[in-house]
Amino acid sequence: MALYFIPLATVVLFIINQLTNALCIQKEIPEEKQPKVFRTINVLITILLISSYIEVLFA
């Protein structure tokens, strides 16, 4: 299961970071606030991916 999930999670994080960058550009978020936005979104997505993996693993 991990063989498929880890590459998929990496792709998801990469795409989410691209979308976050587009959001920062579109909403003109200041440079000093962007790292906080990226960190928050990455932590939340990582929690979501880990909980999804655990759910699939024990289902």
Side-chain angles (χ1 to χ4, degrees), residues 1-58:
M1 183 66 200
L3 216 63
Y4 298 113
F5 197 85
I6 292 172
L8 178 66
T10 305
V11 169
V12 167
L13 278 173
F14 182 73
I15 292 171
I16 293 297
N17 278 327
Q18 286 181 330
L19 291 172
T20 304
N21 188 40
L23 173 75
C24 288
I25 291 170
Q26 182 180 8
K27 295 296 181 182
E28 298 175 357
I29 297 174
E31 290 287 328
E32 59 271 0
K33 289 188 178 182
Q34 286 183 13
K36 186 175 179 180
V37 172
F38 274 93
R39 189 176 322 114
T40 302
I41 291 176
N42 283 335
V43 166
L44 293 173
I45 293 298
T46 303
I47 291 169
L48 178 68
L49 289 169
I50 289 171
S51 65
S52 298
Y53 180 72
I54 291 171
E55 183 178 339
V56 168
L57 190 64
F58 293 117

